[in-house]
């Protein structure tokens, strides 16, 4: 009784039975690439109870560790089932591979075991609480450290790194002008266009100017600049400081008695606090320009008329409300960016993780604070 | 094997080189030139790697050892020359033909280059999962366990993430992944760098053991004189942009090339017991 017979290099296993003993005939290429069909055909084999079995390797022309493992595990299982099994006809190399498989039969866990769902949930909750608590303390400590460093400059101003700060101002402010300008301009256009469309319904097109001025000066100028800067510079802070940390550069600074606060954090912080209001003012102007352009093109409000109207509409505080928020948002982005950078833990994965966190946290905090400011300013009536 | 034999390789026709890789040569490198703009790092380099041997590649920093290895395995582009493997010029093959040849060799990178998001055992399973269609999970688990045991990792290392392992264990896991599909050639980039002497000696033993049991051809870049003496059959010295000398450790000791003299007769080589031979 024989089954399966393929030709050439095809791997094959067949079974012969002569009175009372069985022979397993293995042939062809017993290599890793052929292991799936071999695995299936070996599983399909069946034997009489307790009959002795001979495994004939004579016709195997290629054997690798995967093939040796398949042979070994079959023999091991048959022996465990009470059969008397022996190999026959294997070359020295083939037998040594089977020996390797025998010597290294130690099934191990592939993944760490999954703990019970309830326990895991509790564990997750506990870990999150600990993490949030730890982060709150650490970020408060970071703010404190920054304040202390800034205070020390009052007695030792020579420690302040002017060159680094100016360089950061260029990177954060000057280089961001094209993108901030473009986006503010487009948003100005969108507000004017949408506003005009609605206001035309009751013949109040001229109030488009009020809408544009209030929306751009109070909210959109600052909000857009802050969000762009959080995505552009906040992420860069985290990635730069994070990769320096990964490369042990921060540790090197410490051992050279150079404070990373002085060299890395303060220049970025000061630069952002200074540049944010400037960028916001620039975004305001460009946003109004966009609104004015659309008002002229689609509503026929002449530029001069738009300017006069703007002049009437701005009652002192519109511009101020936007600009007051700017340094605060700037400080926030710098703090979060630098803090997350320093919190990196020395792997590329961690740098990526903290960069994402820095951007998401910054934008979240900006919007929360902005909502708070909006209500606050309305309540006090400015 | 001394300098005139390199001359013989240099004079071989491409057809002779190709024919040689169908017999006792695993990889034949002819007239290889690699550079990244500016002057080439490697120029006119010839080398034969024999089947079943362990060959160590040495050279000062910046002589292009890693560049040579990366070019042979197709990670860097060559400006000129050919790399014959299994009867084909690897560098002129199409992308898919190269993938086919690449399955026949395994590479251990300096830091192990394990996939950080997968556990050690899953790392070993990656080549099987990617290249063998329909391999049962049960069999993959068993074979991964066997390979991890073969490279001397304890079973409790298997479900760990690479970041939880020490440098030596990462390299062992890297080897387990490199031999997952039973390659014919194993490339090792500074396998013992960063290991303590005991760990390095154990790693040398592992390489010798795997080479013997799996019939591997091993190409290793190394600075470790102990490895060169204990596991390498031949040594190829890279200097002046090419293979300056290839031969046994005794050939190295007899050479009068200044760099080779300094390398094999320096204080560190005496500590490794090389000079005494």
């Amino acid at each position: 009784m024989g089954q399966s017979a393929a030709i050439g290099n095809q791997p094959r296993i067949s079974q012969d039975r002569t009175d009372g003993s069985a022979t397993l005939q293995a042939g062809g290429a017993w290599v890793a690439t052929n292991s799936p069909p071999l695995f299936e055909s070996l599983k399909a084999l069946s034997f009489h109870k307790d009959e002795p079995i001979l495994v004939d390797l004579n016709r195997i022309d290629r054997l690798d560790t995967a093939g040796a493992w398949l042979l070994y595990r079959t023999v091991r299982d048959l022996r465990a089932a009470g059969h008397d099994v022996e190999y026959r006809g294997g070359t020295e190399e083939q037998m040594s591979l089977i020996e390797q498989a025998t010597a290294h039969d130690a099934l191990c866990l592939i993944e760490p075991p999954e703990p019970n769902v309830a326990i895991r949930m509790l564990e997750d909750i506990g870990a999150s609480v600990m993490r949030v608590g730890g982060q709150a303390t650490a970020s408060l400590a970071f703010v404190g450290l920054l304040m202390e460093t800034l205070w020390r400059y009052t007695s030792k101003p020579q420690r302040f790194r002017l060159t680094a700060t100016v360089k950061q101002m260029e990177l954060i402010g000057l280089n961001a002008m094209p993108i901030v300008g473009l986006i503010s301009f487009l948003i100005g256009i969108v507000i004017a266009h949408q506003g005009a469309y609605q206001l035309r319904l009751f013949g109040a097109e001229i109030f488009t100017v009020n809408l544009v001025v209030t929306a751009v000066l109070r909210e959109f100028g600052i909000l857009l600049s802050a969000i762009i800067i959080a995505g552009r510079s906040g992420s860069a802070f985290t990635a730069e400081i994070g990769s320096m940390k990964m490369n042990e550069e921060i540790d090197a600074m410490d051992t050279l008695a150079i404070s990373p606060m002085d060299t890395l954090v303060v220049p970025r912080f000061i630069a952002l606090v200074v540049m944010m209001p400037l960028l916001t003012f620039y975004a305001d102007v460009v946003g109004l320009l966009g609104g004015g352009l659309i008002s002229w093109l689609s509503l026929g409000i002449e530029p001069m008329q738009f300017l006069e109207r703007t002049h009437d509409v701005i009652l002192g505080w519109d511009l101020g409300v936007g600009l007051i928020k700017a340094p605060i948002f700037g400080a926030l982005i710098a703090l979060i960016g630098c803090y997350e950078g320093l919190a990196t833990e020395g792997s590329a994965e961690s740098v990526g993780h903290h960069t994402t966190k820095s951007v998401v946290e910054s934008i979240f905090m900006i919007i929360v604070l902005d909502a708070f400011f909006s209500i606050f300013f309305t309540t006090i009536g400015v | 094997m001394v300098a005139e034999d390199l001359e013989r390789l240099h004079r071989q026709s491409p057809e002779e080189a190709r024919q040689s890789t169908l017999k006792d040569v695993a990889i034949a490198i002819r007239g290889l030139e690699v550079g990244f703009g500016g002057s080439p790092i490697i120029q006119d380099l010839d080398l034969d790697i024999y089947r079943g041997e362990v060959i160590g590649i040495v050279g000062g920093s910046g002589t292009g050892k890693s560049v040579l290895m990366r070019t042979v395995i197709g990670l860097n582009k060559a400006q000129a020359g050919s790399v014959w493997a299994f009867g084909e010029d690897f560098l002129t093959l199409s992308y898919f033909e190269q993938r086919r040849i690449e399955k026949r060799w395994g590479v251990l990178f300096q830091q192990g280059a394990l996939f950080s998001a997968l556990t050690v055992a899953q790392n070993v399973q990656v080549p099987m999962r990617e290249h063998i269609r329909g391999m049962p999970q049960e069999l993959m688990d068993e074979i991964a366990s066997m390979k991890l045991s073969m490279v001397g990792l304890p079973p409790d290392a298997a479900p760990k993430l690479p970041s939880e392992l020490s440098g030596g264990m990462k390299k062992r896991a890297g080897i387990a992944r490199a031999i997952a599909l039973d390659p014919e050639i194993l490339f090792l980039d500074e396998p013992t760098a960063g290991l303590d002497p005991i760990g390095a000696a154990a790693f040398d033993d592992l390489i010798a053991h795997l080479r013997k049991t799996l019939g591997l051809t091993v190409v290793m870049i190394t600075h470790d004189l102990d490895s060169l003496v204990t596991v390498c059959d031949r040594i190829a010295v890279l200097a002046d942009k090419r293979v300056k000398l290839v031969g046994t450790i005794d050939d190295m000791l007899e050479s009068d090339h200044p760099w080779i003299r300094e390398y094999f007769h320096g204080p560190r080589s005496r500590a490794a017991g090389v000079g005494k031979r």
Side-chain angles (χ1 to χ4, degrees), chain B residues 112-150:
Chain B
L114 297 172
F115 302 122
S116 53
L118 303 178
T119 68
V120 170
Q122 285 169 338
N123 261 286
V124 180
Q125 290 178 348
V126 166
M128 304 182 224
R129 205 181 290 281
E130 291 297 317
H131 294 307
I132 302 179
R133 191 187 295 263
M135 188 134 170
Q137 186 65 44
E138 185 189 351
L139 190 59
M140 276 199 282
D141 290 354
E142 289 175 358
I143 292 181
S145 303
M146 173 175 65
K147 303 272 161 157
L148 287 172
S149 164
M150 281 171 78

Side-chain angles (χ1 to χ4, degrees), chain A residues 32-33 35-36 39-40 43 64-66 69-70 73 76 96-97 100-101 103-104 106-112 349, chain B residues 116 119 121-122 125 132-136 138-139 141-143 145-150 155 158-159 182 209 213-214:
Chain A
T33 34
S35 59
F39 183 76
E40 291 308 318
K43 248 187 12 197
D64 69 0
T65 50
W69 173 261
L70 280 168
R73 80 193 287 279
R76 178 195 65 187
S96 112
L97 276 178
Q100 284 298 310
H104 297 291
L107 187 61
C108 41
L109 282 175
I110 303 301
E111 288 170 277
E349 213 181 359
Chain B
S116 53
T119 68
Q122 285 169 338
Q125 290 178 348
I132 302 179
R133 191 187 295 263
M135 188 134 170
E138 185 189 351
L139 190 59
D141 290 354
E142 289 175 358
I143 292 181
S145 303
M146 173 175 65
K147 303 272 161 157
L148 287 172
S149 164
M150 281 171 78
D182 280 81
H209 174 74
T213 51
L214 304 179

Side-chain angles (χ1 to χ4, degrees), chain A residues 258-310:
Chain A
I258 300 167
S259 153
M261 290 307 273
D262 283 338
T263 50
L264 300 175
V265 179
V266 172
R268 288 177 167 77
F269 180 82
I270 299 286
L272 201 44
V273 169
V274 173
M275 291 318 282
M276 206 61 221
L278 297 182
L279 270 179
T280 305
F281 183 74
Y282 162 72
D284 288 347
V285 171
V286 181
L288 290 185
L289 217 67
L293 185 73
I294 277 297
S295 307
W296 186 23
L297 292 182
S298 71
L299 299 174
I301 301 173
E302 297 283 327
M304 274 322 287
Q305 202 186 348
F306 185 87
L307 273 184
E308 271 168 35
R309 182 83 193 165
T310 307

Side-chain angles (χ1 to χ4, degrees), chain A residues 170-193:
Chain A
E170 184 194 343
L171 292 174
I172 297 162
L174 202 64
N175 294 356
M177 283 180 73
I179 181 75
V180 169
L182 179 69
I183 291 192
S184 303
F185 187 74
L186 291 177
I187 289 291
I189 287 177
V190 170
I191 295 171
H193 197 78

Side-chain angles (χ1 to χ4, degrees), chain A residues 101-133:
Chain A
T102 319
H104 297 291
D105 177 11
L107 187 61
C108 41
L109 282 175
I110 303 301
E111 288 170 277
E114 290 262 312
N116 182 307
V117 181
I119 294 176
R120 208 179 59 211
M121 264 177 67
L122 278 176
E123 204 179 288
D124 283 352
I125 293 170
S128 318
V129 171
M130 295 289 288
R131 198 175 53 236
V132 170

